Amino acid sequence: RPVPPKSDACTMASGTISPPDPCFCPDTHASGTTKFPLSFLIKRDAILEPLVFPEESSASPERDRSCFLDPSKAVPIPCMVCDSSFAGEKAREEAVRHLLVEHKVVVHRVTDICCFKSYAEHWRSRFREAPITEFAPVIRTNMRSDEHQSEDYYLLSDALPEDKQLRAQLQRRKLEAVLDVQQQERGDARFSRTCLFCCETLSGNRAVLFQHMLEAHSFNVGQPDNLVFTDEFLDLLQQRLDNLQCLYCERTFRDRATLKEHMRKKQHKKINPRNTAYDKFYLINYLEVGKSWEEVQSEDDREIISQEEKYVCVCVCV
């Protein structure tokens, strides 16, 4: 993706970016890749305004939460440029395709945006205030081709300070919504469910069930305090076991007795960490935009190692 020069990227906080010089040409390197140079003219008298979502004050907490917890409720998605809107299961894909084909707007890393509806509403409001060229850099294609006419595309990415701040704020709002759900689950004393591996029924707190499965059946899913949407998580595990599927290697067996013996002998009484279907149920996956639990955990490990190296002492025998 095209990245603005460092000197320009540091001065784009105002969000007022004029289109690049129409006379520039892309540089083709020896590797065959094409780099699009971007030149920006920054307005010195611009004022950095606080980031505010459209209609945020009039929206209810339930309406805000539904956008982050259930993607199917984050509709309709408005177009940022025109009056079109998109609904249905593939509303986000249709909105992104519409922006690209009809308006030449490219949204970078769409899957990392927590609530695309709120993202689109924010930029729709901003594009009503000023032309799109005031916010998004322009990428001109086919500069050296005689056969095809050159076209201008507008890039929205986290390289823009306002866009980066918007994505981070959406991520924080999603994390807050998830923490609210976890708090409700912790305080729910009406919970009652049968163990996944025996006929015993556990009541009270959900942590009691996970502790029982750890102590009685050696089934470990991590700390219960790190889990969220536990009812859905347990339903998914129960469904896989009912389908006679191992929770770790995900092989299917002919009967339940064979499955239990396999999980015991192979020590497969745990979930598959590579299966992204479980990411939704662990809080670590909501901490940072576009980072999986493995990336976050590896960063924490590197910080611990660096701190340990800082305090290494060398003892000399006298």
Side-chain angles (χ1 to χ4, degrees), residues 12-131:
M12 291 195 299
S14 63
T16 56
I17 304 172
S18 59
D21 187 357
C23 298
F24 82 92
C25 295
D27 298 330
T28 303
H29 298 275
S31 60
T33 59
T34 301
K35 180 181 179 182
F36 294 91
L38 303 177
S39 57
F40 300 99
L41 298 177
I42 308 302
K43 292 185 177 180
R44 300 299 180 182
D45 56 347
I47 300 176
L48 179 62
E49 298 178 355
L51 184 62
V52 179
F53 290 97
E55 302 179 358
E56 185 175 15
S57 59
S58 60
S60 63
E62 291 77 9
R63 178 175 177 269
D64 290 341
R65 178 180 298 175
S66 64
C67 175
F68 297 95
L69 301 181
D70 188 359
S72 62
K73 295 182 179 179
V75 292
I77 298 176
C79 175
M80 305 176 187
V81 183
C82 66
D83 295 330
S84 302
S85 61
F86 305 88
E89 297 181 356
K90 297 184 178 181
R92 186 180 67 178
E93 289 77 5
E94 293 176 359
V96 172
R97 188 183 305 111
H98 170 80
L99 286 170
L100 178 62
V101 175
E102 299 296 334
H103 306 294
K104 304 294 190 272
V105 177
V106 180
V107 182
H108 181 58
R109 298 178 67 176
V110 179
T111 55
D112 292 345
I113 301 174
C114 294
C115 181
F116 193 74
K117 177 181 179 181
S118 298
Y119 181 85
E121 288 175 346
H122 171 82
W123 282 118
R124 177 183 174 88
S125 175
R126 295 291 280 163
F127 294 162
R128 295 293 186 274
E129 300 173 2

Side-chain angles (χ1 to χ4, degrees), residues 197 241 244 246 249 251 253-269:
F197 303 99
L241 292 174
L244 306 178
C246 176
C249 67
R251 290 175 51 193
F253 297 85
R254 64 176 181 271
D255 53 49
R256 193 172 183 86
T258 307
L259 171 62
K260 292 177 65 176
E261 185 68 11
H262 161 81
M263 295 180 67
R264 184 185 67 82
K265 285 186 175 181
K266 298 292 184 179
Q267 297 183 355
H268 283 187
K269 291 188 175 182

Side-chain angles (χ1 to χ4, degrees), residues 27 59 64 103 109 135 140 143 153 161 164 167-168 184 233 238 243 246 254 257 260:
D27 298 330
D64 290 341
H103 306 294
R109 298 178 67 176
F135 305 98
R140 181 160 297 174
M143 289 292 297
Y153 287 83
K164 183 177 182 179
R167 295 179 188 230
Q184 293 176 6
F233 181 42
Q238 185 68 62
N243 293 334
C246 176
R254 64 176 181 271
K260 292 177 65 176

Side-chain angles (χ1 to χ4, degrees), residues 197 213-214 217-222 233 237 240-241 245-250 259 262-264 266-275 278 282:
F197 303 99
M213 292 192 294
L214 175 62
H217 308 286
S218 302
F219 180 68
N220 186 13
V221 294
F233 181 42
L237 297 178
R240 294 180 183 271
L241 292 174
Q245 186 179 33
C246 176
L247 297 177
Y248 183 75
C249 67
E250 300 182 351
L259 171 62
H262 161 81
M263 295 180 67
R264 184 185 67 82
K266 298 292 184 179
Q267 297 183 355
H268 283 187
K269 291 188 175 182
K270 50 189 174 183
I271 63 174
N272 183 2
R274 306 298 180 186
N275 191 336
Y278 300 120
Y282 288 86

